[in-house]
Amino acid sequence: MATDYGYDSGLGFPGEVRRHRVPAGLRAPFEGRTWRELGYVLLSLPISIVMFTYAVTMVSLGAGLLVTFLGIPVFAAGLAGCRGLGALERARARGLLGLEVADPEPLRTRGSGFMAWIGAVLKSGTSWRTLLYSVLQLPWAVFSFVVAVNFWVYGWALLTYPLWFWVFPAYAGQDGLQLYGDETHHIYLDNPFEIGVTALVGLLFTLATPWIVRALTTVDRVMVHGLLGPTRLSARVVELESDRGVVVDTAAADLRRIERDLHDGAQARLVALAMDLGLAKEKLTEDPAAAARMVDEAHGEVKTALQELRDLARGIHPAVLTDRGLDAALSSVASRCTVPVQVEVDLGSRPAPAIEGIAYFTVSELLQNISKHSRATWAAVDVWRVEDRLLLQVVDNGVGGADVSAGSGLAGLAERLDAVDGILVVDSPVGGPTRVTAELPWRGDRV
């Protein structure tokens, strides 16, 4: 995965956005980002020469030694060295271009030993991509170096020509900067008008050079990202592995919650109920009135235990969701919210059970947050489908200030959605209103 910080200020701190009174075109030649990008272009030439020489030498040497047993190890060593140079290039792009490129997939060796390592290096796509980068970088580095240096040098030289115009008559014995000359004719930039036009052309070159350099480094960004970063497939594998861990942790947390609720709630009440009924049984013959009173209290405990079991079952998966779908289930959970909630569900069919359950629990948790923290007087829930995505939106007029990055329940909710390729977006300025939008994949209609 690649992240381009795109430094916005002269200081170049990632993510820093500053407002300037000077237009971007005028301040670009003096910004830190421009000088870093120029430094990247200037360094690319010597570094690419080293990389190209190393890559061609090792590949040629390995190919020449293929007739012996040394060819394959030399070839593998050359590819491994290219991988190391690729790591240095990623670090250089990170430091000078602000481009964050994740490390590619590591070598996956089957077995142990030197031969297993050689096989892993030769089979790795990263090795061959870094070799290709080492070869392609040189011609591009030569081109970008020549273009950047010429524009930069000529721009500043022409811009400052009025300052050093005195050099030519004083030290070169000529009237100024020569545009044309032969045996009989000589044209010099030596009058005020020509000097002013020269400075103006230099100003245009100087103002255009940062954007030309930026365009050149854009190609470098693409090359670094495409050839030295992870492939889409490997990045997707890493993302799925992370999502699987989130799903496992979430399932384990839910099991612990259910066990705790059963142990501390319904189970404790049933134990107390059994003890009360035992005492009532003993007093049935001695004191029927006391026994009847105890049975009546036990009857109340039974009702409470049944309600707790219903709430627990609803928290696992409500029956109304299975039987009647999201519209009825969300209306039911909205009726238990402490503020009036308007529910609007516009779905022509039902999504897959897993997606439907996640959508229900997402809205349920958001409404619980409204009841506990928002101090709102009204809320609204909208559910609709756009192509292959299910969208949920919960809005309230509370005090706002909700933040996913604060480590609250919203962060856990965002992780749950991310585990199924979902997205959670929170817009909650201080003072309100709060608008939480969730997006889930539509994975197959239910029959």
Side-chain angles (χ1 to χ4, degrees):
M1 229 177 167
T3 301
D4 189 352
Y5 286 130
Y7 300 111
D8 293 300
S9 68
L11 296 176
F13 294 114
E16 180 186 7
V17 179
R18 295 175 56 190
R19 294 182 178 179
H20 295 270
R21 295 180 179 179
V22 180
L26 295 180
R27 70 173 187 269
F30 308 100
E31 285 187 328
R33 173 180 177 175
T34 300
W35 291 98
R36 281 189 296 272
E37 289 175 339
L38 179 63
Y40 185 92
V41 171
L42 297 180
L43 287 175
S44 291
L45 182 60
I47 292 177
S48 64
I49 292 175
V50 173
M51 294 181 64
F52 182 87
T53 303
Y54 173 82
V56 171
T57 301
M58 295 300 292
V59 170
S60 302
L61 182 61
L65 293 175
L66 284 177
V67 295
T68 69
F69 69 92
L70 293 176
I72 297 298
V74 170
F75 205 87
L79 291 177
C82 289
R83 291 175 67 103
L85 294 174
L88 293 177
E89 282 294 276
R90 288 193 298 273
R92 187 166 70 99
R94 185 183 306 115
L96 295 178
L97 299 182
L99 180 67
E100 279 290 343
V101 180
D103 294 335
E105 60 274 13
L107 290 176
R108 301 183 182 273
T109 58
R110 295 183 177 180
S112 58
F114 185 62
M115 296 306 297
W117 177 81
I118 290 178
V121 171
L122 295 177
K123 292 179 181 178
S124 172
T126 302
S127 303
W128 297 99
R129 291 200 309 275
T130 53
L131 174 63
L132 180 61
Y133 177 87
S134 301
V135 174
L136 294 179
Q137 176 68 4
L138 178 60
W140 173 250
V142 172
F143 173 79
S144 58
F145 182 91
V146 171
V147 171
V149 169
N150 276 279
F151 269 89
W152 199 268
V153 171
Y154 279 104
W156 282 102
L158 296 177
L159 177 63
T160 58
Y161 180 58
L163 301 179
W164 50 271
F165 166 70
W166 55 271
V167 170
F168 288 93
Y171 297 100
Q174 61 188 41
D175 295 332
L177 188 63
Q178 181 176 326
L179 287 183
Y180 173 78
D182 56 20
E183 294 180 356
T184 58
H185 296 86
H186 300 277
I187 299 177
Y188 296 99
L189 301 174
D190 55 359
N191 62 65
F193 174 76
E194 292 174 346
I195 294 174
V197 172
T198 301
L200 179 61
V201 172
L203 176 63
L204 296 178
F205 271 57
T206 302
L207 295 179
T209 298
W211 306 103
I212 295 174
V213 173
R214 194 159 300 175
L216 295 173
T217 56
T218 299
V219 178
D220 289 287
R221 296 171 193 271
V222 173
M223 292 178 61
V224 172
H225 181 211
L227 297 177
L228 301 183
T231 61
R232 290 185 177 181
L233 179 59
S234 63
R236 181 61 175 163
V237 169
V238 172
E239 181 182 355
L240 291 176
E241 289 177 348
S242 175
D243 291 345
R244 182 182 61 184
V246 172
V247 171
V248 171
D249 293 341
T250 300
D254 289 339
L255 287 176
R256 289 193 298 269
R257 177 181 59 82
I258 294 171
E259 180 183 9
R260 182 179 63 252
D261 291 344
L262 284 173
H263 183 271
D264 297 340
Q267 180 179 345
R269 291 191 179 276
L270 291 175
V271 170
L273 175 61
M275 296 176 61
D276 291 342
L277 290 176
L279 294 174
K281 182 179 178 181
E282 294 178 358
K283 291 183 174 291
L284 186 59
T285 56
E286 300 176 359
D287 190 353
R293 186 171 58 256
M294 296 178 68
V295 169
D296 185 62
E297 293 175 355
H299 183 255
E301 288 291 327
V302 169
K303 290 182 178 180
T304 304
L306 288 175
Q307 183 60 41
E308 289 182 354
L309 289 174
R310 290 193 192 99
D311 294 339
L312 182 60
R314 188 183 296 113
I316 298 173
H317 195 86
V320 66
L321 178 62
T322 303
D323 297 338
R324 300 172 57 189
L326 273 175
D327 194 353
L330 295 182
S331 297
S332 175
V333 73
S335 65
R336 299 192 297 271
C337 188
T338 58
V339 301
V341 180
Q342 179 182 353
V343 178
E344 184 71 27
V345 179
D346 183 14
L347 299 176
S349 56
R350 297 178 63 177
I355 299 300
E356 194 174 56
I358 293 175
Y360 170 82
F361 287 112
T362 299
V363 175
S364 177
E365 187 163 343
L366 291 175
L367 291 181
Q368 288 181 16
N369 288 342
I370 292 175
S371 298
K372 295 178 181 178
H373 310 296
S374 71
R375 287 184 277 175
T377 58
W378 65 267
V381 176
D382 291 316
V383 181
W384 71 99
R385 177 183 179 181
V386 177
E387 296 180 352
D388 60 344
R389 306 294 287 182
L390 175 65
L391 286 93
L392 321 168
Q393 191 171 85
V394 179
V395 183
D396 69 79
N397 65 340
V399 295
D403 186 5
V404 177
S405 62
S408 61
L410 290 175
L413 192 59
E415 290 181 355
R416 291 194 180 192
L417 294 178
D418 184 64
V420 293
D421 291 337
I423 301 172
L424 185 72
V425 179
V426 179
D427 180 17
S428 182
V430 177
T434 297
R435 185 183 305 272
V436 181
T437 304
E439 183 178 327
L440 291 166
W442 187 281
R443 293 182 179 171
D445 296 342
R446 298 176 57 146
V447 180

